[in-house]
Amino acid sequence: MIAIVDYGMGNLRSVYNAFRKVSPNLKVCVTSDQKIIQSADRIVFPGQGAMPDCMRELANKNLTETIINAAKNKPFLGICIGLQMLNDFSEEGGVSGLGIIPGQVRKFKTKNHFNKVPHMGWNEVYRKNNHFMWNGINNNERFYFVHSYFVQPKDQSISAAETIYEHPFCCAISKDNIFAVQFHPEKSSLAGLQLLKNFTRWSI
Amino acid sequence: MLAKRIIPCLDVTDGRVVKGVNFIDLIDAGDPVEIAKKYNDQGADELTFLDITASSDNRGLIIDIIERVAEQVFIPLTVGGGVREINDIRTLLNAGADKVSINTAAIHNPSLVSQASQKFGSQCIVVAIDAKKMNNHWEVFTHGGRNPTGINAVSWAKEMVNRGAGELLITSMDRDGTKSGFDNDLNSLISSEVDVPIIASGGVGNLDDLVNGILKGKADAVLAASIFHFGEFTIEEAKKHMRENFIEVR
């Protein structure tokens, strides 16, 4: 069973729909229930909006520890703010993250009106490794992004992919049982669906 | 490099996609779910649904359409038309919309944009601006271009971004339905004044209009309806033409 963690930030229906599409027979739960999250085989940790709000709502739902524990040993997919929250600290609101991955979250600084913020739309993802999650996906494939902040992992070797906007930035990380992406696979058409399908089959 | 986006727009009323000229003389253009799937298969970067249902009785139909589209189409979906309050936005997001476009309600109550972006995040709040050229400036209009507001379109765009709009959808009321191209002067002016992406809308008659919308209008995305609905051009053809003009597309 896959648990999509619902802590009240944003709409998880498209993530749910996308998993239903790629694995119709797999049980998928959108849940804020600690027990279900603990017993799930795989965890999807999404996030929308502002990271300070996400951290607060996660705490309000008593899920902070549950997520830290779930990220220790089973296939764990972070999406968008779900990637950012794994880090130590974010410039957005100056808040601490979950501290699961050593790193910082920084804001894009536009010097001109050529590169708008948010970074919104389809951009190329350059792979840094041959992780199982990239199976069946072309290098340089475009995925759909919408974000104003990006992650800077302390250990560069966990970067699983980069994208260029103003400068190259890390758009995916892979470390042990954790894979997390800045883009939205659930909104990235066939390539996104392939990534989610890979997640349902990834064994650590 | 970030690709420029092509966004087909589906005007929906009473559960069907329609197309009119200057918002009148509506012609049936088909079933929304089928059309959405077709555009997705052709490589559309996003889809925009504009609910132009006049009677409140049939407003619920758009929810059903979005739910059905979101089960089958995995690209960003924007919904606009008749969005008045926070609850309307919540309902549309829950149905599967990724972004909600606010137009008239933002003029009656600008704080709605601030509240909505606070609550749901700027990334899902699009402000739609319908503008008409008046001598040497552009004015914001409501109700499909019928009602002048006295508001300057460029200063309005800036205010909406300051209030948290994550994207602006700029429609030229002079050009909409005329097939004479976007108002690139208006779009490039607004694009140079705000940091968020802008979508050019209103007036596309051929593929060069899309190219000019990007190159001259400085738009981040181009929106069109009739050239795609009636099969004049496919999205693939539009992208090929943009690529030939050295515009980065998906």
Side-chain angles (χ1 to χ4, degrees):
Chain A
M1 184 258 288
I2 293 188
I4 302 172
V5 181
D6 178 12
Y7 49 96
M9 286 301 292
N11 168 27
L12 306 179
R13 191 175 182 129
S14 29
V15 181
Y16 174 83
N17 282 339
F19 275 111
R20 298 296 301 160
K21 174 86 174 174
V22 297
S23 286
N25 299 320
L26 195 73
K27 194 175 175 204
V28 184
C29 288
V30 176
T31 183
S32 57
D33 187 316
Q34 289 182 14
K35 287 201 180 69
I36 295 176
I37 295 167
Q38 280 158 9
S39 67
D41 305 308
R42 295 166 197 277
I43 305 293
V44 178
F45 184 50
Q48 268 184 17
M51 181 162 147
D53 298 335
C54 288
M55 290 300 297
R56 189 191 62 233
E57 290 308 308
L58 196 65
N60 285 345
K61 292 270 192 317
N62 286 320
L63 288 175
T64 310
E65 286 305 311
T66 312
I67 295 303
I68 291 172
N69 284 326
K72 280 177 183 159
N73 49 26
K74 44 192 165 195
F76 185 101
L77 175 64
I79 300 176
C80 193
I81 310 280
L83 158 68
Q84 297 181 6
M85 289 166 81
L86 300 178
N87 287 264
D88 296 320
F89 176 81
S90 175
E91 285 185 358
E92 187 171 20
V95 292
S96 294
L98 296 169
I100 294 168
I101 302 282
Q104 310 274 313
V105 184
R106 305 228 178 268
K107 189 169 205 268
F108 283 117
K109 301 196 173 45
T110 45
K111 295 177 210 73
N112 51 48
H113 292 286
F114 183 68
N115 284 333
K116 307 284 185 79
V117 176
H119 170 225
M120 183 187 286
W122 299 79
N123 208 337
E124 289 158 313
V125 167
Y126 305 101
R127 279 153 45 171
K128 306 278 281 183
N129 62 21
N130 285 319
H131 199 282
F132 179 84
M133 289 287 283
W134 298 127
N135 279 0
I137 297 169
N138 293 329
N139 195 12
N140 306 355
E141 185 63 75
R142 286 181 189 276
F143 287 83
Y144 186 79
F145 288 83
V146 49
H147 62 126
S148 302
Y149 294 80
F150 61 95
V151 298
Q152 261 184 352
K154 198 172 173 189
D155 174 7
Q156 289 291 315
S157 72
I158 68 166
S159 175
E162 278 186 355
T163 290
I164 300 171
Y165 195 65
E166 289 267 338
H167 47 75
F169 70 92
C170 169
C171 67
I173 58 153
S174 59
K175 186 168 186 268
D176 306 325
N177 60 310
I178 297 173
F179 195 90
V181 293
Q182 182 60 65
F183 51 82
H184 288 270
E186 77 281 12
K187 285 289 152 186
S188 295
S189 198
L190 298 178
L193 293 175
Q194 180 65 45
L195 189 107
L196 297 179
K197 189 169 192 170
N198 292 344
F199 181 66
T200 67
R201 294 170 175 186
W202 175 30
S203 53
I204 53 169
Chain B
M1 197 175 154
L2 183 65
K4 299 295 181 185
R5 290 168 279 155
I6 297 185
I7 308 176
C9 178
L10 291 72
D11 289 347
V12 177
T13 187
D14 298 325
R16 299 287 291 178
V17 175
V18 292
K19 184 60 199 170
V21 174
N22 292 107
F23 286 87
I24 49 172
D25 298 332
L26 300 175
I27 308 164
D28 188 289
D31 173 64
V33 180
E34 288 308 311
I35 293 176
K37 277 165 66 179
K38 183 180 82 182
Y39 290 150
N40 177 53
D41 294 344
Q42 289 180 4
D45 297 307
E46 296 188 27
L47 295 173
T48 289
F49 296 81
L50 189 59
D51 183 8
I52 57 169
T53 303
S55 79
S56 53
D57 298 353
N58 290 335
R59 282 253 172 235
L61 285 172
I62 192 78
I63 302 294
D64 175 59
I65 289 167
I66 297 305
E67 283 178 354
R68 286 191 292 136
V69 171
E71 279 172 15
Q72 304 189 43
V73 174
F74 297 93
I75 57 176
L77 309 175
T78 302
V79 187
V83 174
R84 290 191 181 82
E85 46 192 84
I86 289 286
N87 250 338
D88 298 332
I89 300 170
R90 191 194 314 275
T91 308
L92 289 168
L93 293 175
N94 284 342
D98 299 286
K99 310 180 204 178
V100 171
S101 160
I102 307 173
N103 190 337
T104 307
I107 290 162
H108 293 322
N109 175 20
S111 68
L112 177 68
V113 174
S114 325
Q115 287 166 26
S117 60
Q118 283 263 316
K119 200 157 193 74
F120 307 110
S122 286
Q123 84 287 342
C124 63
I125 303 302
V126 182
V127 170
I129 300 176
D130 294 347
K132 247 186 203 179
K133 179 133 199 202
M134 319 293 283
N135 303 321
N136 54 359
H137 75 286
W138 286 267
E139 183 174 335
V140 179
F141 276 67
T142 61
H143 299 88
R146 287 193 298 274
N147 299 352
T149 62
I151 301 168
N152 180 291
V154 179
S155 42
W156 182 242
K158 288 200 258 188
E159 180 181 347
M160 289 296 97
V161 171
N162 288 338
R163 284 184 178 272
E167 200 171 26
L168 299 175
L169 169 59
I170 317 285
T171 304
S172 162
M173 288 292 117
D174 306 303
R175 303 299 181 89
D176 198 53
T178 64
K179 293 184 174 284
S180 57
F182 296 120
D183 187 336
N184 292 318
D185 295 336
L186 168 67
N187 294 335
S188 66
L189 185 59
I190 292 179
S191 190
S192 65
E193 294 281 344
V194 299
D195 285 331
V196 304
I198 73 155
I199 306 166
S201 155
V204 177
N206 59 53
L207 300 182
D208 282 332
D209 292 337
L210 299 177
V211 169
N212 289 333
I214 302 287
L215 298 182
K216 294 184 181 161
K218 306 274 182 280
D220 302 282
V222 286
L223 180 139
S226 58
I227 61 161
F228 297 130
H229 293 334
F230 296 118
E232 283 171 67
F233 300 103
T234 64
I235 309 280
E236 284 139 324
E237 286 165 342
K239 289 199 166 174
K240 180 167 175 280
H241 190 69
M242 286 169 83
R243 221 175 265 126
E244 285 165 358
N245 285 274
F246 308 103
I247 295 170
E248 189 92 5
V249 288
R250 180 165 73 101

